[in-house]
Amino acid sequence: MHRLRQLPARRLPSHPSGSPRPAHHRQRRGQGSRLRAYRQRVLYRLRRLPRPLRRQVHRSRDGGGLRSMNTCVSVPPATLADTVTNVMLCGIGGQGVLTAAEVLAAAAVREGFDVKKTEVAGMAQRGGVVTSHVRMGPRVLAPAIAPGEADILIGFEAAEALRGAAHLRPGAVIVVSDLQVKPPVVHQGLFAYPDDPISALRAQGWTVRAIPARDIAERLGSLRLMNTVMLGAIGDLLPVPATVLRAQVVDNFRKRKPALADLNGQAFDEGRAAAERG
Amino acid sequence: MNAVTETGAKRLLSGNEAVAHAVWEAGAALASAYPGTPSTEILEVLGGYPDLEAQWGVNEKVALEVAIGASLAGARSFCAMKHVGLNVAADALMSQTLAGVNGGLVIAVADDVGLSSSQNEQDSRYWGRFAHLPVLEPADAQEAHAFTLAAFVLSEEYSCPVLLRLTTRVCHVKTLVTVGPRRPAPERHFIRESRRWVMLPGNARAMIPAQFKREAALAEFAETTDLTQVWEGSDTSLGVITSGPAALSAREALPDVPLLKLGLGYPLPLERIRAFAAGVEKVLVIEETEPLIEQELRAAGLSVHGKDVLPRFGELSVTVLRAGVRTLRGEPAPTPPAETQTAVAAAAQVFPRPPTMCPGCPHLSPFYCLSRLRNSILISGDIGCYTLGAGQPWDAMDTCTCMGASLTLANGLAVGKSGPDANKAVVAVIGDSTFLHMGMQGLLNLVYNRANVTVLLLDNRAVGMTGGQEHPGTGLDLYGKDAPRVDFAALVKALGVKEERLHTVDPYQLPELFKLIRSEIQVDDVSVILTNQPCVLTHRHKARPALKVEEDQCTGCGNCLHVGCPAIQVVRRDQRTTASGAVKDLAFVRIDSAFCTGCGACLGPCGAKCIVPVTAEA
């Protein structure tokens, strides 16, 4: 870093030639009077400049700051295997999957974990697939969960859980909403919706907890509560205590829509209870 | 004002948010951008910070030039764009690299590695080599913050723009970031020095040696800077040279392997690399996406591995890296566990769920019309939500290359079409923001060259695909304050389109729109059909009473399904034998009133006229 401060101004791409005129100009014209006139103009210009700038034109600029900065990620420890919990959330654009991932990540931070949260949602707002990854542990490196390494899958839509299960490690747990949303390509008759995605997941050998998220949310008064129900349903599966996750959900709403805070707390509890029955 | 925080505060931020915070911290006076995934949020977030001006530019070239201007005036300035945006801005970049900057100028360029939302996958690190500029490559949001601050200092120290190369996995990954307060930028003022700022050939020629001198000085700096680090490891049978988020994936995939992480990705610290390579048996270069470092190291006489074992495109995830290293070491791939195998096979069977237009989207009916005229037209498309018109059920787009290319390609298609297409009309489809970005010149060119093209200018008053940002056609600026609004009809006429060839139409009036398109494609001239309903995802959209299907009257004709509205759902399928003996598929539908916006685009195609407002029964 020290080198940065040593760079003199002549290395800067101000006019490179030592002479005040480009060489080819001098060769072509070579008139002393013109040179004098030019010098005078330059001096005049310099005199007109405010004082601090005059110094700047001639002196190296202060590069300070870089030296005192902690510029890089700290050197990661060499061994971290098995210390990270990988939670994958999958659903459809508009279901609140990203918001749920956000809350989950914030709860993990609250509990003192390092966190990385990412998603693929480029065109997801248009009804496409939304997948979000939340990784938590003492130190999290890679931004995304490697295929075959997700510990927990939260499926906000049944067929999307079937798609997402390809990302799980053996022994993983799936918490899945029984909600089924058929896309236009299914209604147009181009593709078929799977007969029973949840049974298919069970047949694959995973531990599956099916949550009637839509029913619970409807009973509580708003379909928008579905993602909080699903968060409640994984409450007991995380290294973050369910109480911390619940507090994060409630606080999140307390800030933005205080009227909905208690209702979401209730949705969380119902989701948690449904998972126990599960 | 979510922005101002105390020193040392740790916050969970995405790379985009971290860059924005650092731009503000660095004392920048101006930030400019055109929206583009994955870079969009940087400027959106900057709109929430005080003491600097954030501006949407009409395109990336304009945005960069505005930032260059602010820099020459002495201010720290910032510009953000996605990878393809830098292609647009390249003209300004390639010349300003000679002149250099005054106030620090940082250009954030976000590569969509893996193409989640782009027309191509590009490696923006090339621009560093091409323009002889330093390239900083943060790995996560914390680094994005720190590197942005460093980039301003570097820019001023070496008097050149600095490229901050981001990728989707930096921009859209949240992690904990330590942020600080705003610090005043070094005081600078405009330097009146026309030989430096006026790119006449003589002036520019004289500055070329200085550009190379600067590059050499940067290479010297690269050898010592702690932007680049070595992460020690015990397994010296391999050493990894890498940059950006791939470094973190590499550390996770190969925790014991020594790793040289290039923070300053260009110029390369060749001496440091040589010393690192000397300490390991084999060197693997891991880079997203092109083999730039690999080739430079080979040219420098180092024997390295890279794209011989790793893919040349897409994200280099932990899994991909492990597989590459196994290939390098000649180890067989492990058999995945049984559960995984069945799950992967089952997942492959699940129907696709492609992005689609929204219920009530004002683009639905234009594409329905085009799909009905499919056999008599060639359709030249453009970049935006309406590119989805290429998908089902419309299948109504033949070409789409880059921003603004619909109009210019249409020009060429109209001239070049032959054989079975000779009698087809050419239709170009472009959105409002794309038209202002790079379409105006294309329309001017169409008119000037007396082309025969019908232009659908779909004005939904938003940059829809990136989340509904403002632009000069919306009447609001980035802060949501009133701004002069461009008059598209007047603009189109000013570019030379005849008054009688310009039509403004409500796209929800589908029959009217259809008749208009059908008649205009028969006129041998440049016609412009301007639609005028706002994007349904913006505050400008006002939903109407939802519609429903009188299910006992639905004849199952399925015509409404061709509109492509996601609110229309099939409840029952059947078959009917017609009088002529042909078997016809029937699809009986319902409308999900939770999604329906009441736009009425489905009313026209409905054969039985059984779609009515929900309120009718009350």
Side-chain angles (χ1 to χ4, degrees):
Chain A
M1 199 60 59
H2 60 280
R3 293 223 164 233
L4 194 63
R5 293 179 73 93
Q6 293 173 354
L7 278 168
R10 65 186 151 75
R11 289 201 177 156
L12 307 177
S14 143
H15 206 276
S17 117
S19 136
R21 286 212 129 196
H24 58 277
H25 276 211
R26 265 185 292 131
Q27 277 161 13
R28 230 179 310 144
R29 303 198 179 133
Q31 290 163 11
S33 61
R34 282 188 178 220
L35 198 63
R36 270 197 301 281
Y38 180 79
R39 276 187 186 138
Q40 272 166 8
R41 276 206 307 281
V42 171
L43 281 171
Y44 173 65
R45 220 181 285 152
L46 274 176
R47 277 189 211 110
R48 285 202 315 172
L49 290 172
R51 200 160 277 281
L53 186 63
R54 244 189 269 170
R55 282 201 304 276
Q56 249 180 43
V57 173
H58 295 291
R59 272 214 257 133
S60 170
R61 287 152 196 179
D62 178 21
L66 248 190
R67 215 204 285 210
S68 58
M69 243 172 244
N70 174 24
T71 46
C72 301
V73 289
S74 59
V75 179
T79 318
L80 324 129
D82 305 330
T83 60
V84 174
T85 303
N86 292 319
V87 185
M88 189 165 141
L89 304 88
C90 58
I92 305 160
Q95 275 194 304
V97 177
L98 303 185
T99 313
E102 199 87 11
V103 171
L104 200 55
V109 168
R110 198 166 169 154
E111 188 61 15
F113 286 111
D114 186 23
V115 169
K116 279 212 163 75
K117 182 210 146 248
T118 185
E119 67 265 351
V120 174
M123 297 162 93
Q125 200 173 24
R126 314 293 174 268
V129 178
V130 182
T131 309
S132 205
H133 295 188
V134 179
R135 312 190 70 208
M136 56 187 84
R139 180 87 167 91
V140 182
L141 294 179
I145 304 170
E149 294 190 5
D151 300 292
I152 299 164
L153 175 69
I154 317 176
F156 289 73
E157 197 275 349
E160 289 312 319
L162 197 54
R163 200 194 307 278
H167 228 79
L168 295 173
R169 70 162 170 74
V173 181
I174 301 174
V175 179
V176 55
S177 165
D178 61 2
L179 179 76
Q180 299 192 355
V181 181
K182 292 174 186 164
V185 289
V186 167
H187 288 295
Q188 287 151 19
L190 300 167
F191 292 93
Y193 192 90
D195 287 339
D196 185 355
I198 293 173
S199 301
L201 286 170
R202 290 212 167 96
Q204 286 173 17
W206 311 106
T207 306
V208 179
R209 296 182 188 179
I211 311 295
R214 186 179 182 132
D215 290 353
I216 296 173
E218 252 173 4
R219 188 155 36 77
L220 293 175
S222 168
L223 287 179
R224 290 183 170 275
L225 294 167
M226 269 195 286
N227 60 354
T228 302
V229 173
M230 293 307 290
L231 280 178
I234 59 149
D236 293 313
L237 299 172
L238 298 171
V240 178
T243 49
V244 174
L245 183 56
R246 189 187 190 280
Q248 186 63 42
V249 169
V250 173
D251 285 0
N252 210 35
F253 280 96
R254 191 87 64 199
K255 261 184 261 163
R256 290 177 214 169
K257 298 168 189 163
L260 294 176
D262 292 334
L263 194 56
N264 274 276
Q266 207 182 333
F268 186 93
D269 296 337
E270 297 241 3
R272 202 174 160 194
E276 269 172 40
R277 290 192 299 271
Chain B
M1 206 60 52
N2 62 351
V4 191
T5 49
E6 67 279 24
T7 316
K10 255 196 174 189
R11 295 165 55 184
L12 189 61
L13 298 180
S14 70
N16 282 344
E17 291 166 334
V19 169
H21 199 287
V23 168
W24 173 78
E25 260 185 58
L30 177 123
S32 184
Y34 182 80
T37 309
S39 70
T40 311
E41 297 83 4
I42 303 178
L43 204 72
E44 286 186 315
V45 172
L46 273 169
Y49 285 80
D51 308 324
L52 62 72
E53 170 145 340
Q55 292 185 351
W56 288 127
V58 296
N59 65 36
E60 293 85 356
K61 178 177 187 287
V62 167
L64 176 56
E65 288 163 355
V66 171
I68 289 171
S71 159
L72 297 197
R76 282 190 168 178
S77 64
F78 172 81
C79 185
M81 59 196 69
K82 70 183 292 180
H83 58 301
V84 285
L86 195 47
N87 304 344
V88 177
D91 203 2
L93 179 78
M94 292 304 289
S95 294
Q96 201 61 37
T97 182
L98 280 175
V101 303
N102 184 17
L105 171 60
V106 177
I107 303 167
V109 53
D111 286 2
D112 187 4
V113 175
L115 287 99
S116 69
S117 186
S118 302
Q119 65 267 41
N120 72 6
E121 185 183 61
Q122 277 178 212
D123 191 333
S124 293
R125 296 177 305 153
Y126 269 116
W127 291 109
R129 277 102 179 143
F130 199 11
H132 308 282
L133 296 178
V135 182
L136 294 180
E137 297 183 57
D140 64 6
Q142 175 69 77
E143 277 197 351
H145 176 267
F147 283 20
T148 304
L149 290 172
F152 279 105
V153 180
L154 266 182
S155 172
E156 282 159 9
E157 193 67 17
Y158 291 86
S159 181
C160 61
V162 173
L163 294 175
L164 184 71
R165 194 250 190 165
L166 309 170
T167 67
T168 309
R169 290 291 187 212
V170 179
C171 295
H172 287 171
V173 178
K174 285 201 169 186
T175 191
L176 286 168
V177 181
T178 308
V179 296
R182 184 170 164 99
R183 286 172 272 191
E187 194 184 329
R188 288 162 184 272
H189 307 279
F190 183 66
I191 304 164
R192 196 168 145 185
E193 193 179 359
S194 60
R195 284 182 310 158
R196 184 168 168 200
W197 306 129
V198 180
M199 289 288 102
L200 280 165
N203 294 347
R205 198 182 295 124
M207 282 191 262
I208 293 174
Q211 172 189 265
F212 289 113
K213 221 172 179 177
R214 175 186 77 207
E215 201 172 19
L218 278 161
E220 212 176 296
F221 170 68
E223 296 289 355
T224 55
T225 176
D226 67 2
L227 292 163
T228 292
Q229 297 182 334
V230 172
W231 293 348
E232 303 295 341
S234 55
D235 177 9
T236 54
S237 66
L238 188 66
V240 164
I241 298 174
T242 184
S243 66
L248 297 173
S249 296
R251 189 61 162 178
E252 184 158 320
L254 310 159
D256 303 322
V257 167
L259 185 149
L260 176 66
K261 180 182 169 298
L262 296 163
L264 179 62
Y266 183 79
L268 290 182
L270 277 176
E271 292 315 311
R272 255 167 121 169
I273 291 173
R274 281 207 177 86
F276 175 79
V280 295
E281 284 169 41
K282 276 183 186 169
V283 174
L284 176 64
V285 183
I286 296 173
E287 46 191 332
E288 289 174 342
T289 50
E290 299 281 350
L292 293 185
I293 302 171
E294 183 184 339
Q295 284 168 355
E296 278 170 42
L297 295 187
R298 289 224 173 103
L302 277 110
S303 161
V304 298
H305 295 275
K307 299 300 180 185
D308 52 340
V309 294
L310 292 169
R312 281 197 65 147
F313 56 90
E315 189 188 350
L316 297 180
S317 63
V318 171
T319 319
V320 169
L321 293 178
R322 281 194 193 122
V325 170
R326 270 197 301 271
T327 311
L328 183 64
R329 288 175 165 162
E331 295 164 3
T335 319
E339 294 104 310
T340 309
Q341 283 185 38
T342 44
V344 169
Q349 296 296 314
V350 179
F351 57 85
R353 199 188 288 272
T356 183
M357 293 183 204
C358 304
C361 174
H363 300 335
L364 287 171
S365 46
F367 278 96
Y368 173 80
C369 296
L370 295 179
S371 71
R372 299 297 98 184
L373 296 163
R374 194 73 186 91
N375 296 328
S376 56
I377 51 175
L378 294 173
I379 307 161
S380 177
D382 222 303
I383 308 285
C385 284
Y386 47 94
T387 318
L388 298 172
Q392 296 300 336
W394 316 281
D395 184 24
M397 194 170 288
D398 292 308
T399 62
C400 171
T401 301
C402 61
M403 295 288 282
S406 56
L407 303 172
T408 39
L409 256 68
N411 197 344
L413 285 168
V415 174
K417 66 193 162 99
S418 65
D421 304 314
N423 295 320
K424 286 184 181 169
V426 180
V427 175
V429 186
I430 189 165
D432 47 342
S433 184
T434 310
F435 182 71
L436 298 176
H437 177 287
M438 202 52 91
M440 292 187 283
Q441 298 88 334
L443 183 59
L444 182 62
N445 198 63
L446 281 175
V447 172
Y448 175 61
N449 290 299
R450 300 182 197 86
N452 177 11
V453 170
T454 302
V455 177
L456 283 179
L457 176 42
L458 306 180
D459 178 13
N460 64 357
R461 292 188 71 181
V463 192
M465 193 50 128
T466 48
Q469 289 76 18
E470 308 296 340
H471 64 72
T474 67
L476 296 177
D477 66 5
L478 180 122
Y479 298 98
K481 291 190 193 130
D482 287 335
R485 184 184 171 205
V486 76
D487 179 342
F488 280 102
L491 175 60
V492 164
K493 276 187 272 184
L495 292 172
V497 175
K498 298 188 190 95
E499 179 126 33
E500 65 272 24
R501 294 276 71 80
L502 169 67
H503 306 274
T504 304
V505 62
D506 178 354
Y508 293 153
Q509 304 303 318
L510 194 148
E512 192 189 322
L513 176 69
F514 183 78
K515 281 180 207 143
L516 195 56
I517 297 174
R518 202 177 46 187
S519 67
E520 283 306 320
I521 58 176
Q522 281 156 10
V523 180
D524 183 6
D525 202 347
V526 177
S527 307
V528 174
I529 297 170
L530 180 61
T531 66
N532 62 2
Q533 288 288 350
C535 172
V536 294
L537 297 177
T538 63
H539 60 93
R540 294 188 181 88
H541 177 256
K542 302 277 179 286
R544 304 166 190 197
L547 301 171
K548 65 168 184 173
V549 177
E550 299 281 17
E551 294 192 21
D552 51 335
Q553 289 172 41
C554 177
T555 58
C557 70
N559 288 350
C560 56
L561 289 169
H562 298 298
V563 176
C565 178
I568 304 175
Q569 300 169 351
V570 175
V571 287
R572 181 166 63 87
R573 290 182 194 280
D574 206 346
Q575 284 190 328
R576 178 169 66 89
T577 314
T578 59
S580 58
V583 177
K584 205 172 172 244
D585 289 323
L586 299 177
F588 296 88
V589 300
R590 67 181 281 265
I591 291 175
D592 191 333
S593 58
F595 294 125
C596 178
T597 66
C599 75
C602 51
L603 296 173
C606 176
K609 301 296 166 209
C610 61
I611 300 175
V612 296
V614 170
T615 47
E617 70 182 13

